Amino acid sequence: MAKHDTPLLDQLESGPWPSFVSDLKRQAETKPECWDILGQLELSYKDKITHWKHGGIVGVFGYGGGIVGRYSDVPTQFPGVEHFHTVRVNQPASKYYSTENLRAICDLWEKYGSGMTNMHGSTGDLVLLGTRTENLEPFFWDLTHELKQDLGGSGSNLRTPSCCLGQSRCEWACYDTQEVCYHLTMHYQDEIHRPAFPYKFKFKFSGCPNDCVAAIARSDFALIGGWKDDIRIDQAAVKEYVAGNYPSNGGAHSGRDWGAFDIKKEVLDLCPTGCMWMEGDELKIDNAECNRCMHCINVMPRALRPGKEKGATVCVGAKAPILDGAQFATMIIPFVKVDKESEFQEVIDVIENIWDWWMEVGKNRERVGETMQRVGLPTFLSVMGVEPVAQHVTEPRSNPYVFWKEEEVEGGFERNVAEFRKKHAM
Amino acid sequence: MGYDPNNPMEGRITDLGPPHYSKFLPPVIKDNKGKWLYHEIVQPGVLVHVSETGAECYTVRAASARLISIELIREMCDIADAHCDGYLRFTTRNNVEFMVDSKDKVQPLLDDLKGRGNKFPVGGTGACVTNIVHTQGWVHCHTPATDASGPVKAVMDELFEYFGSMKLPAQVRIALACCLNMCGAVHASDIALLGVHRKPPMIDHERISGVCELPLAIAACPLGAIKPAKAEVNGEEVKSLKVNVDRCMFCGNCYTMCPAMPLADPDGDGIAILVGGKVSNAKSAPKFSKMVIPFLPNNTPRFPEVVSAVKNILEVYAKDAHKYERVGEWAERIGWEKFFEKCNIPFTDKCVDDYRLAYTTWRTTTQFKYTSATDAYTK
Ligand code: HEM
Ligand code: HEM
Ligand code: HEM
Ligand code: HEM
Ligand code: SF4
Ligand code: SF4
Ligand code: SF4
Ligand code: SF4
């Protein structure tokens, strides 16, 4: 494979941000197919159009996902990317790696692939970009036998679950996101590898309402940490903040002079529920009014911490706009225990409740959020065995079109029109 | 031993799942998991986490292009071997993090990173513009309306000073998805760049019956714009499809089902800009991004119109917003009519929702602000 002239891409080598073009060129020294990646991309920059064809079905035997097929539409010009399939490798929870493991993956990809990767795909997988069909099985053999690792999901199945870094390095994590993520990934290997759902289904685990993995925006099943008791206050540290000895927001605003820290303006007045006040130099919180928005904790991490009775909130049904518009996940279960001793049984029960129903009533290519929209939230709640509470809505309905059920109305729907006419002549 | 194509099921192993994360935690992380007390960003790109045991973990966050080579990953491994006992991690936004267990190890690590040219700029913490979540674009996908890696590089080159500093009113999350499928999940970003097509699909009558199930292509269209039709190919009548172009929203669903309905086009395709979304539940509830610029051209290789539009919005926001206010919170406080005026972005009919459930965004109150846009009424 020869080098190609890439005058357009070359312009993406300058500038302070890391350049994928320089990186590709460097890799091309040992993996010449990278010249063809550059060549075809240059052609796209010239034509302003993609040069990849529909994928077709490729994969490893027995798995319905994990590989995204891809072929070039200009293979004679760029034979090195004639086949350019993507391999999704299930990432370790929170994307920590040992260099030993990463180097082994690199060696494997040097042997079987283009040498290019995405660290990581937006679902969370470690994405290995570009290989030929005949390399897939040998790659998979080495991945499972030598590295003892596995592919992630793609297609109408459980997609590779992902989590924030949680308790591993964050003081606010209200449950062990890594352990749940790992445990459920292992528990549902079959659902990840063998598509049996109406459409894709995603789990994401965030340890607190800051939601650093965007569970509420991106997952069909979002587990977002929270607490049900009182925010823990260290009054001595509050004084340090007030005195300006600790940086607000963990120093996140230190690049600009915003003036001296003003606890009233920056914390009390921005508390969305107005449930905080000062008594002298003591900070008070009416915890019954708090909606756990994290603002005060974000601003004063050394003084305030989530409470001690921790668990998580279950939100269901986020999806991208295609087709009827984007949906955030809807709060379904205010609080569940996320408990390793029970092997997360409470969480598993909720998930399987959703699946049993969705696999039966969900239409082909219908995300669970769309199925929920179609049947309505009251129906979904009753499927879930959840009593509706005012927390399920931001406000009650403003139309009066209630779908009363027959059994809910005294005497039922059956009536005798002849009896009616005796009193009400027409 | 190895894979034997004549005996593919022999010795096959499946369903191993990912390795257990505990094998990959740096010792200071492993020992203090669940014991962290607080954190502080000691300088842009450098965090310290302090444990109740007194242990400290210093994290240095550096950018990556996401589309990276194994050579670069090996270089990251060299750095982690030299400074971090052989461990590292990646963030949800494509940054790489190097962790050390004491303060005196930070400067040598920073120096090492700095000595490697523009490969590992440090930043992405606090009130900054961190790395851009993005998708594949012309590097790998068959449906994109724009590239991903190129526009990301061009935008971040221009916003570079905001990556390595913390002088914005709050964090600003930028995301790019190269078509309406939005694999990169841009619907809830402070600033979202979204590849859009603007020409309806062409129909390749010659090939369509060979490569597509016609009823599936018809069913794929969310707006019912595709109808069965007859076409003439080499003097013979064949079964094909036609598109009612007035109903087409250029979503590309038909092309995903049917390769004989391509819609990509050098002039038709480009980038829309949506702003004001957020994922976090902090302060205000999560919000969707809203369209403010319906189309900018794919001006390769550096997408100058897109770059300057993003920079303009960012800088107007930076000047005008209150401390802690995300872009969407700022726009809601001042009112979207003021957003358009302050950013000097022309408002057009394209930004008025006429899709399903559109009515929820129409203004049904007399509370609005006069701006230059209403001069025709007031002046
Ligand atoms: C109808 C909707 C969608 C369609 C038809 C679609 C289609 C695709 C296709 C064709 C690819 C392959 C790109 C490549 O060539 O590598 C892809 C990749 C991907 N998609 Fe989607 N997608 C859809 C929605 C989504 C959504 C909503 C998400 C996530 C929230 C998502 C996440 C991903 C991820 C993570 C990848 C891997 C590539 C990357 O990280 O850049 N997709 N999708
Ligand atoms: C199917 C739905 C509705 C029906 C059949 C209906 C019917 C009526 C009727 C028959 C009247 C006249 C009553 C009279 O003075 O004889 C009326 C008055 C009125 N309706 Fe409705 N209505 C409906 C929904 C609504 C809704 C949703 C609203 C407001 C949100 C509304 C607001 C009013 C108001 C403000 C009046 C005047 C009441 C007054 O005398 O001050 N209606 N409606
Ligand atoms: C308003 C508040 C917050 C929002 C919107 C938010 C959002 C995000 C986003 C978008 C990322 C990806 C960052 C990147 O890779 O550059 C992230 C990562 C992270 N955030 Fe936050 N964050 C918030 C507050 C916090 C706070 C207060 C902490 C901790 C004390 C925190 C801890 C983290 C950690 C540890 C990561 C890395 C997570 C991972 O990659 O799994 N976040 N957050
Ligand atoms: C089913 C569809 C979607 C899912 C699942 C999804 C998911 C996500 C995820 C995961 C994040 C966090 C990104 C990170 O920090 O790593 C996220 C944030 C974002 N999503 Fe979505 N997204 C979806 C659709 C969209 C769409 C369609 C858009 C845009 C049009 C979008 C825009 C964004 C943006 C911009 C962010 C960054 C917000 C922030 O950092 O605060 N998402 N979304
Ligand atoms: S979601 Fe919460 S617990 Fe998880 S990393 Fe972010 S701030 Fe920490
Ligand atoms: S978490 Fe939010 S609602 Fe609760 S006290 Fe703090 S600022 Fe107020
Ligand atoms: S957003 Fe669209 S073009 Fe981009 S990778 Fe996803 S499906 Fe492909
Ligand atoms: S692009 Fe979308 S709206 Fe247009 S014909 Fe195809 S499926 Fe229908």
Side-chain angles (χ1 to χ4, degrees):
Chain A
M1 278 150 268
K3 283 191 194 183
H4 309 277
D5 281 336
T6 53
L8 293 170
L9 290 179
D10 293 350
Q11 296 176 51
L12 290 171
E13 289 197 88
S14 56
W17 193 251
S19 169
F20 67 98
V21 176
S22 308
D23 195 18
L24 271 160
K25 287 185 178 175
R26 173 188 182 192
Q27 189 63 52
E29 299 294 336
T30 51
K31 300 289 293 180
E33 52 265 56
C34 290
W35 293 125
D36 282 351
I37 303 178
L38 285 161
Q40 184 175 315
L41 189 59
E42 177 76 13
L43 190 62
S44 281
Y45 268 64
K46 190 159 149 267
D47 296 345
K48 301 184 182 182
I49 207 164
T50 191
H51 281 288
W52 299 107
K53 290 200 283 196
H54 274 62
I57 295 175
V58 293
V60 297
F61 195 83
Y63 277 19
I67 314 280
V68 181
R70 191 62 71 223
Y71 300 93
S72 171
D73 70 7
V74 277
T76 42
Q77 235 174 311
F78 306 109
V81 295
E82 178 187 15
H83 299 197
F84 202 64
H85 313 317
T86 288
V87 180
R88 295 182 178 178
V89 176
N90 197 329
Q91 82 287 2
S94 312
K95 307 187 181 86
Y96 287 92
Y97 293 92
S98 68
T99 53
E100 186 192 354
N101 179 251
L102 265 187
R103 287 184 200 276
I105 291 170
C106 290
D107 292 347
L108 205 58
W109 200 233
E110 175 136 38
K111 188 167 166 196
Y112 293 115
S114 72
M116 293 308 294
T117 75
N118 288 146
M119 299 297 279
H120 292 75
S122 41
T123 304
D125 300 279
L126 191 167
V127 171
L128 301 173
L129 211 58
T131 191
R132 299 187 60 84
T133 307
E134 59 272 21
N135 284 339
L136 292 171
E137 288 293 352
F139 168 86
F140 183 67
W141 176 280
D142 286 6
L143 182 75
T144 49
H145 286 77
E146 288 171 19
L147 272 64
K148 314 272 180 247
Q149 279 181 242
D150 204 348
L151 302 182
S154 64
S156 292
N157 54 3
L158 176 60
R159 295 297 178 86
T160 314
S162 73
C163 61
C164 76
L165 46 62
Q167 294 177 343
S168 75
R169 212 188 64 206
C170 184
E171 64 268 30
W172 299 329
C174 295
Y175 68 93
D176 188 346
T177 55
Q178 292 180 301
E179 187 56 32
V180 186
C181 189
Y182 177 77
H183 187 91
L184 294 185
T185 304
M186 298 308 287
H187 191 75
Y188 291 123
Q189 281 294 299
D190 194 36
E191 285 77 1
I192 290 174
H193 295 308
R194 291 165 203 91
F197 290 153
Y199 201 15
K200 61 179 123 177
F201 196 96
K202 299 188 180 187
F203 295 166
K204 287 193 190 292
F205 305 98
S206 275
C208 83
N210 282 329
D211 196 0
C212 294
V213 285
I216 207 161
R218 286 173 74 149
S219 51
D220 302 275
F221 179 86
L223 195 65
I224 301 177
W227 62 96
K228 58 181 176 179
D229 54 344
D230 295 351
I231 292 177
R232 285 179 281 171
I233 309 181
D234 176 347
Q235 296 289 357
V238 172
K239 292 192 187 79
E240 298 290 345
Y241 278 104
V242 172
N245 297 333
Y246 292 161
S248 66
N249 220 9
H253 287 83
S254 59
R256 175 149 143 198
D257 182 8
W258 290 95
F261 179 70
D262 179 345
I263 195 168
K264 177 166 184 317
K265 200 168 120 208
E266 298 185 35
V267 183
L268 310 190
D269 292 354
L270 293 183
C271 167
T273 62
C275 68
M276 314 178 82
W277 69 99
M278 298 298 290
E279 278 180 25
D281 51 10
E282 294 247 305
L283 176 67
K284 299 284 180 190
I285 301 177
D286 181 356
N287 280 281
E289 295 299 318
C290 167
N291 67 9
R292 298 170 311 287
C293 85
M294 292 298 293
H295 175 67
C296 58
I297 300 177
N298 286 341
V299 175
M300 303 197 294
R302 297 181 73 164
L304 301 177
R305 304 173 71 191
K308 286 183 167 160
E309 289 175 46
K310 296 174 190 172
T313 300
V314 176
C315 301
V316 182
K319 59 173 280 287
I322 296 273
L323 298 167
D324 271 346
Q327 280 174 235
F328 285 120
T330 301
M331 200 287 292
I332 299 296
I333 304 186
F335 190 87
V336 287
K337 281 244 279 290
V338 188
D339 171 17
K340 192 174 177 198
E341 274 69 69
S342 71
E343 303 204 311
F344 310 110
Q345 198 55 47
E346 268 195 55
V347 178
I348 287 176
D349 288 346
V350 177
I351 290 168
E352 298 193 350
N353 229 337
I354 300 172
W355 283 352
D356 288 348
W357 169 77
W358 180 53
M359 286 172 74
E360 194 180 312
V361 311
K363 296 183 184 167
N364 186 33
R365 286 179 71 85
E366 187 176 62
R367 294 284 287 267
V368 74
E370 293 167 308
T371 318
M372 286 163 65
Q373 282 255 21
R374 182 160 57 79
V375 304
L377 185 57
T379 305
F380 182 70
L381 291 175
S382 85
V383 167
M384 297 296 294
V386 172
E387 272 302 310
V389 290
Q391 282 83 348
H392 285 123
V393 296
T394 51
E395 60 185 34
R397 70 196 301 155
S398 48
N399 66 66
Y401 314 135
V402 176
F403 293 103
W404 294 101
K405 292 193 198 68
E406 180 162 21
E407 62 273 20
E408 291 172 328
V409 184
E410 297 76 2
F413 288 172
E414 282 302 314
R415 283 175 292 164
N416 185 331
V417 75
E419 285 299 313
F420 182 79
R421 281 287 163 248
K422 283 180 191 162
K423 289 184 190 163
H424 302 282
M426 193 155 65
Chain B
M1 252 311 254
Y3 175 68
D4 175 6
N6 299 317
N7 226 339
M9 299 314 286
E10 183 78 18
R12 173 173 287 267
I13 307 178
T14 61
D15 296 342
L16 287 174
H20 195 268
Y21 59 87
S22 64
K23 291 200 281 190
F24 299 148
L25 300 180
V28 64
I29 294 286
K30 198 170 195 166
D31 295 345
N32 294 285
K33 183 169 172 179
K35 299 181 191 160
W36 299 107
L37 267 186
Y38 68 90
H39 75 285
E40 197 175 312
I41 307 167
V42 290
Q43 70 186 70
V46 184
L47 302 124
V48 59
H49 285 79
V50 180
S51 162
E52 61 193 31
T53 66
E56 293 181 331
C57 173
Y58 286 85
T59 301
V60 174
R61 183 177 288 173
S64 94
R66 188 178 92 121
L67 172 60
I68 60 177
S69 68
I70 53 176
E71 279 310 302
L72 191 76
I73 297 174
R74 285 170 176 151
E75 195 173 339
M76 292 171 177
C77 290
D78 293 342
I79 297 167
D81 283 338
H83 300 272
C84 315
D85 305 320
Y87 298 96
L88 71 167
R89 76 174 286 270
F90 293 85
T91 73
T92 47
R93 300 188 76 90
N94 317 318
N95 293 315
V96 56
E97 290 183 337
F98 300 100
M99 286 152 284
V100 295
D101 56 13
S102 79
K103 191 170 185 174
D104 51 304
K105 296 180 183 170
V106 173
Q107 198 54 47
L109 172 56
L110 288 171
D111 293 342
D112 188 343
L113 293 169
K114 201 164 182 173
R116 294 169 190 267
N118 68 352
K119 279 185 263 178
F120 303 105
V122 170
T125 54
C128 72
V129 175
T130 187
N131 211 334
I132 299 183
V133 172
H134 61 277
T135 45
Q136 300 293 7
W138 296 332
V139 168
H140 198 261
C141 194
H142 67 291
T143 63
T146 188
D147 188 35
S149 305
V152 165
K153 160 82 174 145
V155 169
M156 287 312 290
D157 273 342
E158 189 68 23
L159 301 186
F160 190 69
E161 61 164 308
Y162 297 101
F163 177 76
S165 66
M166 305 190 288
K167 54 187 182 181
L168 295 170
Q171 66 272 50
V172 174
R173 305 301 184 203
I174 306 181
L176 179 148
C178 33
C179 84
L180 300 196
N181 285 331
M182 299 200 207
C183 297
V186 298
H187 62 313
S189 306
D190 293 285
I191 303 179
L193 313 180
L194 181 63
V196 291
H197 300 288
R198 293 186 307 164
K199 295 192 184 184
M202 298 175 279
I203 311 243
D204 189 344
H205 296 300
E206 239 172 82
R207 293 204 178 72
I208 193 160
S209 56
V211 296
C212 305
E213 295 277 354
L214 301 187
L216 285 184
I218 293 169
C221 179
L223 300 184
I226 305 175
K227 293 270 170 311
K230 305 254 189 265
E232 218 183 82
V233 174
N234 303 328
E236 277 185 44
E237 196 180 74
V238 297
K239 281 188 181 173
S240 185
L241 301 172
K242 73 167 186 238
V243 173
N244 177 350
V245 297
D246 293 338
R247 293 186 104 178
C248 177
M249 66 165 174
F250 319 105
C251 69
N253 268 276
C254 48
Y255 179 63
T256 297
M257 275 296 156
C258 173
M261 298 182 70
L263 71 169
D265 185 272
D267 301 315
D269 297 351
I271 292 179
I273 296 189
L274 295 83
V275 311
K278 73 192 266 283
V279 162
S280 159
N281 288 278
K283 284 216 317 290
S284 60
K287 303 178 200 299
F288 292 124
S289 316
K290 284 101 185 155
M291 182 179 286
V292 295
I293 302 181
F295 183 81
L296 294 168
N298 279 332
N299 216 337
T300 56
R302 281 201 160 262
F303 303 84
E305 296 84 356
V306 175
V307 169
S308 67
V310 172
K311 188 167 191 191
N312 170 46
I313 293 167
L314 182 77
E315 297 195 329
V316 174
Y317 155 79
K319 243 186 27 222
D320 203 58
H322 296 167
K323 190 178 178 188
Y324 305 113
E325 222 167 35
R326 295 284 292 263
V327 172
E329 294 169 333
W330 164 66
E332 284 174 12
R333 175 172 59 80
I334 62 174
W336 284 98
E337 64 271 42
K338 278 283 179 192
F339 171 90
F340 281 92
E341 187 179 58
K342 285 182 192 246
C343 294
N344 200 13
I345 297 173
F347 184 87
T348 69
D349 61 338
K350 304 293 178 294
C351 294
V352 181
D353 195 350
D354 56 1
Y355 196 58
R356 298 167 187 171
L357 305 174
Y359 169 81
T360 53
T361 59
W362 300 353
R363 192 175 306 235
T364 51
T365 162
T366 54
Q367 298 174 352
F368 61 84
K369 295 178 182 175
Y370 292 114
T371 65
S372 53
T374 48
D375 281 354
Y377 302 89
T378 55
K379 291 267 151 74

